[in-house]
């Protein structure tokens, strides 16, 4: 590569704000809950977005199996594998300095204790995650206990659990009615007792999420569960409006990045076709001969 063509590496912390601890750890989430400071979380799948997320001082980053939907274009998360999560998690880890990094355990990757230990171990050792997340209630308690005993922090996930989409008869709101409400409260308590350090609660009525959050000492992180949770999580691509057509009730588009990308690509196409891009300032010339540089330096 020519001397005058150094590749620009974006500085870290470009947009950094005063962000508290140097690295968010599992105990910080409980502290934030008890200080009544809401926890912020998003999903992320690559290093470039991870740098931006960290610059915004988001507390928790989840490499979610939602990557099946937003990265792979699948209809469900069931096709996502441990290799996929490890690959994306390692990329995200390279972009993060501050956020707490959680790797999602994909469908069937925690079907028994041995399989769960092996796969969760890979998330931490190869994916550089700080914790794993897994879906389920009372039925996953033995798995959580085994992982926690092995020194692997576990975030639970109850309510709508997308890996059970077919068993649930579709992605629908959970916890409606007394029987489901009781079952969710019981699951949450059991997961906390098993050692989970936080719980994602997805697509449940706001009143139930609030009740759960008040009943637990660990933090709840809600998605489609109202404002009564200790924190909120959204799929990054959803909240950035990367897919403008996808706007379920629980999602807010905090930006219109999808539209901005299409507009930028349109400008690029127009300038290329008009012969306006690349302009002279985007074009490499022969390097200035060393002798000429020396002459300039010595007048
Ligand atoms: O996979 C994912 O993105 C998730 C969040 C929606 C919580 O599990």
């Amino acid at each position: 590569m020519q001397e005058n063509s150094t590749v620009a590496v974006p500085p870290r912390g470009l947009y950094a704000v005063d962000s508290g601890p140097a690295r968010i750890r599992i105990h910080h989430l409980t502290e934030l809950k008890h200080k009544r400071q809401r926890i912020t979380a998003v999903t992320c799948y690559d290093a470039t977005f991870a740098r931006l997320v960290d610059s915004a001082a988001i507390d928790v980053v989840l490499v979610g199996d939602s990557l099946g939907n937003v990265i792979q274009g699948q209809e469900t998360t069931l096709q996502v594998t441990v290799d996929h999560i490890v690959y994306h998690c390692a990329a995200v880890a390279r972009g993060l300095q501050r956020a707490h990094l959680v790797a999602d355990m994909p469908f069937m990757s925690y079907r028994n204790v041995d399989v769960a230990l092996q796969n969760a171990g890979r998330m931490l050792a190869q994916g550089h995650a700080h914790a794993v997340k897994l879906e389920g209630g009372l039925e996953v308690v033995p798995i959580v206990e085994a992982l926690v005993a092995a020194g692997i922090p576990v975030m639970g996930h109850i309510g709508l659990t997308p890996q059970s989409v077919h068993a649930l008869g579709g992605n629908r709101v959970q916890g409606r009615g007394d029987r489901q409400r009781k079952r969710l409260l019981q699951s949450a308590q059991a997961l906390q007792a098993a050692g989970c350090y936080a719980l994602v609660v997805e697509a449940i009525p706001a009143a139930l999420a609030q009740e759960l959050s008040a009943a637990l000492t660990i933090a709840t992180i809600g998605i489609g569960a109202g404002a009564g949770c200790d924190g909120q999580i959204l799929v990054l691509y959803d909240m950035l409006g990367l897919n403008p057509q996808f706007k379920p009730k629980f999602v807010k588009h905090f930006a219109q990045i999808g539209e901005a990308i299409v507009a930028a690509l349109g400008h690029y196409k127009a300038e290329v076709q008009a012969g306006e891009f690349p302009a002279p300032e985007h074009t490499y010339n022969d390097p200035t001969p060393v002798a000429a540089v020396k002459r300039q330096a010595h007048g």
Side-chain angles (χ1 to χ4, degrees):
M1 185 166 281
Q2 309 268 340
E3 197 192 347
N4 61 348
S5 62
T6 317
V7 176
V9 178
R12 280 180 177 274
L14 189 58
Y15 316 104
V17 290
D18 180 18
S19 52
R23 172 68 86 180
I24 301 288
R25 310 260 174 206
I26 55 175
H27 64 276
H28 290 128
L29 302 191
T30 317
E31 281 169 26
L32 286 170
K33 174 185 176 110
H34 295 294
K35 286 197 269 180
R36 294 182 185 279
Q37 286 177 20
R38 292 218 165 87
I39 298 158
T40 53
V42 293
T43 66
C44 192
Y45 317 99
D46 69 28
T48 298
F49 271 117
R51 267 188 223 107
L52 295 170
V53 168
D54 223 24
S55 292
I58 297 293
D59 301 313
V60 179
V61 168
L62 169 70
V63 179
D65 62 359
S66 52
L67 71 83
N69 308 118
V70 298
I71 302 288
Q72 298 175 342
Q74 313 271 12
E75 258 185 46
T76 73
T77 58
L78 305 184
Q79 290 71 31
V80 175
T81 66
V82 171
D83 284 346
H84 296 152
I85 298 279
V86 167
Y87 173 87
H88 285 277
C89 199
V92 169
R94 283 178 218 119
L96 293 182
Q97 287 183 326
R98 176 186 178 273
H100 171 65
L101 177 57
V102 184
D104 223 355
M105 298 287 285
F107 181 57
M108 284 294 138
S109 71
Y110 49 100
R111 60 186 176 274
N112 64 44
V113 166
D114 289 344
V115 171
L117 281 170
Q118 196 176 356
N119 289 327
R122 285 192 62 202
M123 302 295 183
L124 269 64
Q126 297 168 10
H128 299 265
H130 308 136
V132 299
K133 174 173 86 57
L134 53 84
E135 297 181 5
L138 295 168
E139 71 284 3
V140 297
V141 162
I143 308 287
V144 172
E145 284 171 344
L147 294 176
V148 171
I152 300 175
V154 182
M155 181 180 279
H157 182 158
I158 57 171
L160 171 59
T161 46
Q163 289 170 18
S164 307
V165 55
H166 299 308
L168 296 173
N171 285 329
R172 23 184 351 154
V173 175
Q174 301 296 304
R176 285 185 167 147
D178 206 40
R179 203 178 57 83
Q180 279 202 19
R181 178 184 150 273
K182 280 195 183 128
R183 173 103 184 151
L184 273 180
L185 284 166
Q186 218 183 349
S187 290
Q189 291 287 2
L191 289 167
Q192 175 173 278
C196 281
Y197 70 95
L199 266 192
V200 166
V201 292
E202 179 164 357
I204 65 172
L208 175 56
Q210 190 158 11
E211 187 180 357
L212 271 172
S213 306
L216 297 175
T217 55
I218 59 171
T220 58
I221 303 182
I223 174 165
C229 298
D230 302 307
Q232 296 292 325
I233 184 163
L234 281 174
V235 170
L236 186 64
Y237 287 25
D238 294 349
M239 55 90 70
L240 293 179
L242 273 168
N243 179 1
Q245 276 77 49
F246 186 69
K247 176 94 185 46
K249 187 176 171 71
F250 65 91
V251 169
K252 176 173 174 179
H253 290 163
F254 287 85
Q256 312 298 336
I257 304 295
E259 285 171 14
I261 289 174
V262 175
L265 291 168
H267 289 146
Y268 167 68
K269 178 170 176 169
E271 288 195 17
V272 169
Q273 289 182 332
E276 291 168 4
F277 178 84
E281 67 266 31
H282 309 120
T283 306
Y284 298 115
N285 297 310
D286 282 343
T288 312
V290 175
V293 172
K294 277 190 182 152
R295 266 200 308 280
Q296 280 167 13
H298 294 98

